[in-house]
Amino acid sequence: MRSMIGDRIDVGNCTVIMTIRISQEEAASFEAEVTDIREVSRRDGRSLWQIALSHTAFSVKDCSGVLIATARSGVQLEVSVEAVEVDAAGEVWHTTQKPLLAGTAVRGRVTR
């Protein structure tokens, strides 16, 4: 059974609020595109990034997971999502330690 936009689905310890129609099985894994990226801090030569996606299954509270991008060469890059937040404009930002360029296709996986 498919969920409707606005429905809440529990995935592990996370509650996902649907912004697109997907089933509960699909909620833990999704495909999206990077729409924006920003560097939010730099300390001791290490940067912290926030990535916006075309859509997401990550929620703001107590969720983590990975974004997997595949380069043209076929090499896969796995980027851990450490936190998720929503800004004043309603944009959802995924905090990572690795940048991904806007336009990059990713597979997302919620792990908790």
Side-chain angles (χ1 to χ4, degrees):
M1 185 167 150
R2 296 189 74 77
S3 298
M4 299 301 291
I5 295 172
D7 283 355
R8 295 174 182 267
I9 296 178
D10 291 325
V11 179
N13 294 329
C14 301
T15 298
V16 178
I17 299 172
M18 304 309 299
T19 57
I20 59 170
R21 292 180 185 173
I22 61 175
S23 67
Q24 185 165 356
E25 295 78 31
E26 295 168 316
S29 179
F30 64 96
E31 293 186 10
E33 183 176 303
V34 175
T35 57
D36 201 1
I37 183 167
R38 62 187 183 189
E39 185 179 35
V40 291
S41 70
R42 185 182 298 195
R43 186 179 314 165
D44 299 325
R46 297 186 68 156
S47 295
L48 196 60
W49 302 89
Q50 288 187 321
I51 297 172
L53 301 174
S54 57
H55 59 275
T56 188
F58 287 96
S59 73
V60 175
K61 189 174 181 182
D62 298 326
C63 279
S64 65
V66 295
L67 299 174
I68 301 167
T70 304
R72 291 181 189 160
S73 65
V75 174
Q76 289 190 339
L77 174 64
E78 190 169 294
V79 177
S80 294
V81 175
E82 299 173 5
V84 178
E85 66 181 60
V86 179
D87 67 16
E91 185 72 59
V92 178
W93 293 95
H94 306 74
T95 304
T96 69
Q97 291 187 14
K98 296 178 184 175
L100 293 173
L101 296 175
T104 301
V106 296
R107 284 191 332 266
R109 188 174 70 239
V110 176
T111 57
R112 69 173 176 106

